[in-house]
Amino acid sequence: MPELPEVETVRRGLERSLVGRRFDEVAVGRDRVARRTSRQELRDGLTGARVVEANRRGKYLLLELDTDAVVMVHLRMSGQVIIDDGASEAPRHSHVTALLDDGSRFLFVDPRTFGEVVVAPRSRIDVLIPEIGRLGRDPLVDGVDMKAVTEMCRNRRRRVKSLLLDQSHIAGIGNIYADEICHSAGIRPDRPAETLSSRSRRRLTDAIVDVIEQAVELGGSTLADSQYVGVDGQPGTFQERHRVYARTGQRCVSCGRGVIRRILIDQRGSHFCPVCQR
Ligand SMILES: [Zn+2]
């Protein structure tokens, strides 16, 4: 599932190839993609509108239109936003297809259809998508500092990974990056947050910033299912730098001694090195 670095890579791609463009002919395939509004509203809201800004909060893409409306795109499990030259037939599972005024084409492709596209006046976005208002700090937009991490951990018995996954503290971190962040910080993901020393909280703060920034620089992580790609169809390469995620049973590349273990935290497979994470 795309997390902050993947969605940020898509956002940057849209900034390059969608901002300034106008949606012309718009077709919406499945009802489910527009489930919070309707296919008609989605089609009408996009048609003739020009994109003026491409923003993001956590895993939510927010495109500002010149009509005072906002387009929210959430990729969820398998959504992709593709901008191509429109020369070939749209791929299967293209639920939103729009020709743009420069001859290129916008596609929202989603084989599993958990993703969605909502277009609504800015004033209605908070009502239609209340979870955006509940998002915590975005590591790239707002920054994450020691103070924020200390507040997140204070008096909390919850496990560190569980807090990292909770979008109301820090927005955009999912299963892959929570594991990689804990490893980079040398902290076991199941450690109760309130037991972290100030030195550990410092390391956790630095790890959040470093891991996210590095992953964005490498275009995010594309796993074996290949579902995540940038707007140009290119996969990310941060998966080559994963140190613990999905490496169960392999030797730890950081310490060379530990063997990566997998445990369940909040029903999510969680990977760590028992030697270098305490
Ligand atoms: Zn290790």
Side-chain angles (χ1 to χ4, degrees):
M1 172 167 175
E3 304 179 25
L4 190 155
E6 290 78 39
V7 182
E8 174 64 14
T9 303
V10 171
R11 187 199 72 77
R12 291 181 182 189
L14 293 176
E15 200 162 65
R16 282 193 300 272
S17 45
L18 185 65
V19 169
R21 300 277 63 83
R22 191 185 64 225
F23 290 103
D24 283 343
E25 284 164 50
V26 180
V28 180
R30 296 265 314 249
D31 282 328
R32 200 162 133 80
V33 73
R35 56 193 175 272
R36 296 198 213 213
T37 53
S38 67
R39 287 165 64 190
Q40 184 75 44
E41 272 184 81
L42 184 50
R43 204 161 43 230
D44 293 351
L46 290 179
T47 307
R50 200 177 283 282
V51 179
V52 292
E53 246 179 72
N55 298 319
R56 179 193 54 76
R57 265 205 91 73
K59 302 171 194 168
Y60 297 80
L61 282 166
L62 297 162
L63 310 175
E64 303 276 333
L65 302 178
D66 64 352
T67 52
D68 214 36
V70 177
V71 185
M72 188 287 292
V73 180
H74 199 309
L75 307 172
R76 304 245 190 246
M77 303 297 287
S78 58
Q80 300 176 339
V81 177
I82 304 285
I83 307 284
D84 68 6
D85 60 8
S88 48
E89 209 177 305
R92 272 186 77 202
H93 310 294
S94 294
H95 304 311
V96 180
T97 308
L99 295 181
L100 303 173
D101 62 338
D102 65 348
S104 62
R105 178 172 64 179
F106 169 98
L107 299 167
F108 180 74
V109 184
D110 189 3
R112 299 178 67 181
T113 358
F114 290 111
E116 52 179 328
V117 183
V118 173
V119 57
R122 189 171 294 110
S123 56
R124 268 188 73 213
I125 283 283
D126 288 348
V127 181
L128 278 169
I129 316 163
E131 58 269 39
I132 291 179
R134 292 195 289 265
L135 293 175
R137 300 177 74 84
D138 183 285
L140 295 185
V141 179
D142 314 304
V144 169
D145 56 12
M146 175 88 171
K147 186 166 164 267
V149 169
T150 299
E151 266 163 33
M152 175 175 86
C153 296
R154 185 179 293 145
N155 301 328
R156 289 208 167 85
R157 279 187 206 165
R158 274 175 75 189
R159 290 167 289 190
V160 173
K161 176 164 178 182
S162 168
L163 284 174
L164 288 174
L165 292 177
D166 183 337
Q167 304 297 299
S168 72
H169 296 295
I170 297 171
I173 299 173
N175 209 34
I176 297 174
Y177 295 100
D179 283 2
E180 294 298 323
I181 287 166
C182 287
H183 181 76
S184 171
I187 296 168
R188 274 181 67 122
D190 58 350
R191 179 106 175 253
E194 64 182 2
T195 66
L196 295 185
S197 64
S198 98
R199 224 175 111 232
S200 296
R201 280 183 270 118
R202 172 85 263 158
R203 287 205 312 264
L204 183 57
T205 310
D206 293 345
I208 293 168
V209 175
D210 292 349
V211 169
I212 297 285
E213 281 182 355
Q214 218 193 105
V216 168
E217 213 167 287
L218 293 178
S221 304
T222 298
L223 303 182
D225 61 14
S226 290
Q227 272 171 338
Y228 158 72
V229 289
V231 300
D232 52 2
Q234 291 301 310
T237 57
F238 187 72
Q239 67 281 4
E240 291 159 17
R241 306 283 181 94
H242 290 178
R243 290 182 165 250
V244 286
Y245 183 77
R247 294 176 59 85
T248 314
Q250 297 183 46
R251 181 81 51 195
C252 173
V253 288
S254 302
C255 66
R257 291 189 293 137
V259 173
I260 306 305
R261 278 184 58 192
R262 180 179 185 275
I263 55 171
L264 283 181
I265 297 176
D266 296 352
Q267 329 299 335
R268 313 290 301 272
S270 302
H271 312 80
F272 70 98
C273 168
V275 174
C276 55
Q277 289 175 254
R278 299 299 172 106

